[in-house]
Amino acid sequence: MMRSSAFAAIAALAVFGLGAGAAMAQRDPAYAAAREAGKVGEQPDGYLGIVGGSDPVLQRLVDDINIKRRAVYAEKAKENNATLEAYALTAGCQAIARTVPGEKYRAPDGSWQTRTSAAPIRDARCP
């Protein structure tokens, strides 16, 4: 029960913490184009992943976003007495839940899925 409450609290904080970072990333036309083209997707660990082949420009874009995400996760985890990993997992759960039909996400089995109108397949540890 306590673990569930902790995840719920972290989930609520992750939504607020990710809002600013996600909004900033989505203002980048290259990020929006890569996401729309299915070249990048959300992962259960809270980080953006590359779907299929990569190139140096796409790799730099994903690395930059993930560095920024990690900084936010570390700050928010510290503020809330959570581990970085727990905060990132919860953020990943929320990011996958917010995908829209046509966007890519990584399922718990490691496969890349394309979001449909149905709920995405998420990690069993997701709140």
Side-chain angles (χ1 to χ4, degrees), residues 2 5 15 25 33 35-36 41 43 45 47 51 74-75 100 111 115 118:
M2 186 169 187
S5 296
V15 170
R35 190 171 180 115
E36 189 174 302
Q43 301 183 118
D45 64 1
Y47 297 97
V51 180
E75 179 183 326
V100 297
S111 65
R115 175 76 188 263

Side-chain angles (χ1 to χ4, degrees), residues 7-94:
F7 269 128
I10 293 171
L13 295 167
V15 170
F16 294 116
L18 272 180
M24 286 175 28
Q26 289 175 350
R27 289 184 193 140
D28 183 338
Y31 168 74
R35 190 171 180 115
E36 189 174 302
K39 293 181 177 182
V40 298
E42 296 296 341
Q43 301 183 118
D45 64 1
Y47 297 97
L48 195 62
I50 295 175
V51 180
S54 180
D55 61 66
V57 173
L58 182 60
Q59 187 65 58
R60 277 192 301 277
L61 173 72
V62 169
D63 289 346
D64 183 58
I65 289 169
N66 286 339
I67 287 167
K68 290 175 182 171
R69 284 185 181 188
R70 182 176 168 81
V72 168
Y73 298 164
E75 179 183 326
K76 296 296 183 181
K78 184 177 179 183
E79 288 173 7
N80 295 287
N81 294 323
T83 66
L84 174 63
E85 294 76 17
Y87 195 90
L89 171 73
T90 303
C93 292
Q94 298 300 321

